[in-house]
Amino acid sequence: MPGAGSWNVISGENSNRVILVVDFPAAGRTEAGFIELAARMGPEYKFLQTAPPSVRPDQRPGSDAYIQPWIQAAQRGGWQVTAVLGYCVGSIYAAPIAEGVSEWQRIAPKVILLDPLSGDIRLLAAEMYKMIDRLSPLLSSEEIGQAGKRTAELTESEPGDVAEAAIGLVGIYREIGSAAFGRLGLDESRGNEMIQLFESYMSWISVAAQIDPRRTWKRSVAIMSADYVKQAAEDPSAGILNSIVDRTIPLDVTHGDLLRSDATVEAVRGQLEAS
């Protein structure tokens, strides 16, 4: 579970105006992260970002135990939290974190969602297929085919157990990852680090499936990339319905560039400064 180092300062260390940003940052991610957004916002705000919790899906983490260390760390820090920002699945966690902060803070923090996603089996499957694709140059065609088949078997049942699917996908990744990392020449310890990171990410998605963020999302603003808007129009269940949030702000920006765009900075700043 997250511990004493639940939040990392990524910008504005000397500011007393705190913004909590909720994301699962990982090395090698192609999409922009909150570090880019914070840098463009300047030193006016102190940005603290969630540290990736080290927990496996087979530990069956409950949402309260998973989230409370973040809330407790914020309270111990005595921070005056101006806003909580969530990116993708982080938007789910932003809701209970903001609710927790509101229990001791006189003014509730604003909640801003950026391309919010739900934690569900479909997202687990998409992320697993992405991993198979990334490892494919190091795998045989048979290994790729078997991994894809097993992923489909685990994730195409409805409604499905998200935690159970996450456990199964970790098992597949461990098999193909161990083979691929060995062929790449990585030592066992480095390969285990990669597998543990994937385990943590699967927990990040599967625990989010336990959380209902709608009460907080109803007073939140969603900033949406053009990619997100297009996908939601084609398949509403892939995104969020406009009626769930208080207001949406669509931007002519790709999903990958959302957190590094000047348009996003302007939109976020506008929400922070609005009365």
Side-chain angles (χ1 to χ4, degrees), residues 106-232:
R106 184 175 60 86
I107 300 176
K110 296 181 178 181
V111 179
I112 302 172
L113 317 174
L114 297 111
D115 279 2
L117 292 177
S118 299
D120 55 26
I121 284 183
R122 180 167 56 180
L123 181 58
L124 287 175
E127 293 301 317
M128 186 64 207
Y129 287 127
K130 195 181 298 182
M131 291 299 104
I132 295 171
D133 184 62
R134 288 179 183 174
L135 294 175
S136 61
L138 299 166
L139 302 172
S140 69
S141 57
E142 182 178 356
E143 288 170 325
I144 295 169
Q146 282 298 314
K149 179 181 177 182
R150 291 168 62 194
T151 296
E153 291 171 350
L154 280 169
T155 60
E156 290 182 0
S157 60
E158 291 293 344
D161 183 328
V162 177
E164 195 64 34
I167 293 169
L169 294 177
V170 165
I172 297 170
Y173 184 80
R174 184 179 293 111
E175 289 180 23
I176 63 173
S178 296
F181 301 147
R183 292 163 192 166
L184 191 60
L186 294 183
D187 60 32
E188 185 175 354
S189 62
R190 179 57 180 151
N192 286 337
E193 286 179 14
M194 301 290 286
I195 292 169
Q196 288 166 6
L197 180 62
F198 184 75
E199 288 178 324
S200 298
Y201 186 52
M202 291 291 100
S203 292
W204 173 261
I205 296 173
S206 61
V207 173
Q210 303 174 28
I211 301 167
D212 183 351
R214 287 177 293 181
R215 182 174 63 180
T216 297
W217 278 18
K218 286 178 180 178
R219 67 175 181 86
S220 305
V221 171
I223 298 173
M224 307 182 300
S225 69
D227 296 332
Y228 183 92
V229 171
K230 181 176 183 292
Q231 184 179 16

Side-chain angles (χ1 to χ4, degrees), residues 7 20 22 50 62-75 81 83-86 88-104 108-113 117 204 207-220:
W7 298 98
L20 303 180
V22 191
T50 44
S63 61
D64 286 345
Y66 195 88
I67 294 164
Q68 279 303 311
W70 285 320
I71 297 172
Q72 292 164 358
Q75 186 173 19
V81 181
V84 182
L85 277 59
C88 293
V89 173
S91 295
I92 299 285
Y93 292 109
I97 290 172
E99 290 170 7
V101 170
S102 298
E103 292 179 2
W104 78 80
K110 296 181 178 181
V111 179
I112 302 172
L113 317 174
L117 292 177
W204 173 261
V207 173
Q210 303 174 28
I211 301 167
D212 183 351
R214 287 177 293 181
R215 182 174 63 180
T216 297
W217 278 18
K218 286 178 180 178
R219 67 175 181 86
S220 305

Side-chain angles (χ1 to χ4, degrees), residues 220-257:
S220 305
V221 171
I223 298 173
M224 307 182 300
S225 69
D227 296 332
Y228 183 92
V229 171
K230 181 176 183 292
Q231 184 179 16
E234 294 171 350
D235 180 5
S237 64
I240 58 169
L241 298 176
N242 289 348
S243 60
I244 296 178
V245 298
D246 179 56
R247 190 158 62 91
T248 60
I249 302 176
L251 300 178
D252 188 18
V253 177
T254 66
H255 173 72
D257 288 336

